[in-house]
Amino acid sequence: MTMTDQSPAPDGYHYALMRRAIDHLDARADAPPSLPELAAEMNLSPAHFQRIFSAWAGVSPKRFQQYLTLGHAKALLSERFTLLDTAHGTGLSGTGRLHDLFLRWEAMSPGDYARGGAGLRIAYDWRDGPFGEMLVMVTDRGICGLAFASEAGREATFADMAARWPAATFRADAAAVAAQAGALDTLSGEARLHILGGPFQIKVWEALMRIPSGHVTTYGEIASAIGNPRAVRAVGTAVGRNPVSWLIPCHRALRKSGGLGGYHWGLPVKRAMLAWEGARADADAPRRSA
């Protein structure tokens, strides 16, 4: 089925195009394609391609290409490196997060952690998002899990997340998820997080939440910020175990060399997130300074 220029396109469709565009741009890194060439690869007219990319990324496709290049991570590291401080807080404003979305979070009790979530009732739903299909899980206190299925598929994604709370009970409940995660639809308002992890993991995830949107830091900087400068490998493991991807922005952690490092839900997703946030940060800068 071909989507016409007049057909509406959900965010998941936009991300599917981004995923294909990344592959195509990688293959043509030495000679980037023109707008008509890239649009043709996506089976869209240039006008429609430009419209949906501008709506998704906040900038034109031509400008957006720079954010998709393999060198973008190194550029971020040199130009938008965040030196984390040791301040702690329970709320994070939209300027440091995702536009106007305000996050509040609390950790589950050590007892919940030790019991593997025994007694927890977790509702889940599959929702469309800017980086493809999302699995969103919630307790009555907030979002406890957010994962992306574009690389691994639904079954593997759900199994991965459910294994983090082996003793919890799970139920499909779109209404319960919407009540806790409705702010994700507009990236505005307040979202509450209810996260389960060990003390070291919680420290790492708290540090991640202090990285502003459009910026990055390194695994080593996170290790220093939490008072364990030699624990870089352990930090990397904790970053990979982040249960609330994107909202706790593990994609903003890079290797000191400027390499992307790993990403639990696939490096194409990480690259798209960094590109999306970088483009939107640049597009919003003139409005903030006006």
Side-chain angles (χ1 to χ4, degrees):
M1 184 174 119
T2 302
M3 182 169 288
T4 67
D5 282 1
Q6 289 74 37
S7 300
D11 279 340
Y13 172 73
H14 289 168
Y15 176 70
L17 287 179
M18 288 302 311
R19 177 70 174 86
R20 291 166 56 199
I22 288 172
D23 289 342
H24 188 63
L25 288 168
D26 284 352
R28 297 276 302 275
D30 294 333
S34 65
L35 173 62
E37 289 173 333
L38 194 54
E41 285 291 326
M42 304 299 107
N43 296 317
L44 296 171
S45 71
H48 181 48
F49 183 67
Q50 175 139 347
R51 263 199 311 277
I52 63 173
F53 260 74
S54 296
W56 188 87
V59 297
S60 70
K62 181 177 181 181
R63 185 177 173 191
F64 195 72
Q65 286 185 6
Q66 66 181 296
Y67 300 99
L68 287 178
T69 62
L70 291 172
H72 179 55
K74 289 186 178 180
L76 282 173
L77 202 59
S78 64
E79 298 168 9
R80 292 183 175 176
F81 172 72
T82 293
L83 185 67
L84 299 175
D85 58 33
T86 57
H88 296 283
T90 58
L92 295 156
S93 69
T95 55
R97 298 292 310 116
L98 296 168
H99 301 282
D100 297 323
L101 181 60
F102 187 89
L103 295 179
R104 293 189 183 277
W105 72 278
E106 66 173 290
M108 296 182 190
S109 70
D112 282 334
Y113 179 70
R115 294 189 298 268
L120 282 176
R121 291 173 53 82
I122 297 177
Y124 69 88
D125 189 29
W126 295 95
R127 296 165 68 90
D128 200 30
F131 309 105
E133 190 173 45
M134 303 185 300
L135 172 62
V136 184
M137 294 179 161
V138 303
T139 69
D140 59 356
R141 295 187 181 183
I143 301 169
C144 65
L146 193 154
F148 294 91
S150 61
E151 300 297 308
R154 275 193 174 195
E155 184 176 349
T157 300
F158 183 86
D160 184 312
M161 293 300 293
R164 300 168 189 240
W165 307 276
T169 58
F170 298 87
R171 72 186 190 280
D173 191 333
V177 171
Q180 294 284 0
L184 290 177
D185 295 333
T186 59
L187 295 185
S188 62
E190 181 175 289
R192 292 184 176 272
L193 307 184
H194 190 205
I195 53 180
L196 177 64
F200 182 85
Q201 292 173 321
I202 295 293
K203 286 183 180 180
V204 171
W205 300 339
E206 186 179 37
L208 288 170
M209 287 192 286
R210 298 201 300 274
I211 308 170
S213 182
H215 293 68
V216 296
T217 195
T218 63
Y219 298 106
E221 172 61 24
I222 294 171
S224 295
I226 64 171
N228 290 272
R230 297 185 179 180
V232 176
R233 187 178 296 274
V235 164
T237 299
V239 168
R241 295 299 294 169
N242 166 26
V244 190
S245 296
W246 191 35
L247 296 182
I248 298 177
C250 50
H251 60 282
R252 297 177 192 158
L254 304 177
R255 291 175 177 162
K256 186 177 181 180
S257 64
L260 285 175
Y263 189 64
H264 195 77
W265 306 113
L267 284 179
V269 178
K270 182 172 185 174
R271 289 179 63 191
M273 287 178 173
L274 290 172
W276 186 86
E277 291 183 352
R280 286 178 175 261
D282 283 351
D284 288 345
R287 290 192 289 271
R288 289 196 298 268
S289 61

